Amino acid sequence: MFNALFDWLLGAGREAAVFFISMVPLVELRGAVPLGTAAGMPWMQTLLISIAGNLVPIPFVLLFAEKLLDWLCTLRAFAGFARAYREKLEGKKEQVTKYARIGLLLFVAVPLPGTGAWSGAAIASLLKMPVGKAFLSIAGGVGAAGVIMTLLSQGTVLFAGMF
């Protein structure tokens, strides 16, 4: 299924594929940067397109995440997932609230599963952080994660080229 999606997106163009992949929750920029690198795109172009795509949905997530999670909890098909996701976010709230905006930036910047812009925005929404301040922290974290992923992707390409 994912292969078909990637093939379809790559058919729309490498740039479009990187942009749209970076918007997908859980995959985000962390998947888009290696995709752009593998597709042979210049690293700066890949980085900028990935950051832009990753940030597009964030204002909407900041504004509506809490309401969406509440609604999903009422639907039988999604209730289990929504409750588990909310519990996971609640468990990470302490990491973010301890250092407020810098904590949110660091949370988003770490390129590990479950720590991206979508999760950061959902946590900020649950904490009722001001949207503008939360967005700036998330944008900084996305930029930092983009640099980390670019360095890792480029290093992998260089390493593979040695053999």
Side-chain angles (χ1 to χ4, degrees):
M1 180 175 131
F2 286 115
N3 287 338
L5 176 63
F6 286 139
D7 290 341
W8 180 79
L9 285 171
L10 286 173
R14 298 179 308 179
E15 295 80 5
V18 168
F19 184 80
F20 288 115
I21 292 296
S22 66
M23 292 174 64
V24 175
L26 303 176
V27 178
E28 301 183 34
L29 173 141
R30 291 149 173 81
V33 169
L35 175 68
T37 301
M41 290 175 57
W43 71 266
M44 181 62 82
Q45 182 184 31
T46 300
L47 176 61
L48 294 176
I49 291 171
S50 296
I51 290 171
N54 202 180
L55 290 176
V56 165
I58 299 310
F60 302 103
V61 178
L62 285 168
L63 293 171
F64 303 115
E66 188 171 18
K67 292 176 181 78
L68 179 63
L69 276 174
D70 290 343
W71 178 67
L72 288 173
C73 284
T74 66
L75 302 175
R76 184 181 308 194
F78 298 104
F81 168 78
R83 284 190 199 103
Y85 188 65
R86 181 185 288 272
E87 287 175 17
K88 183 177 180 179
L89 292 175
E90 294 284 341
K92 295 182 179 197
K93 275 172 52 172
E94 186 177 322
Q95 294 172 330
V96 174
T97 54
K98 186 173 182 179
Y99 301 105
R101 293 192 334 229
I102 193 75
L104 183 58
L105 184 148
L106 293 172
F107 177 80
V108 173
V110 175
L112 293 174
T115 63
W118 280 77
S119 295
I123 289 171
S125 177
L126 292 173
L127 292 173
K128 299 179 182 5
M129 290 177 75
V131 173
K133 291 178 180 181
F135 183 81
L136 290 175
S137 293
I138 291 167
V142 167
V147 169
I148 293 167
M149 289 307 301
T150 298
L151 291 171
L152 289 172
S153 295
Q154 293 298 315
T156 301
V157 168
L158 290 173
F159 183 73
M162 293 171 48
F163 298 101

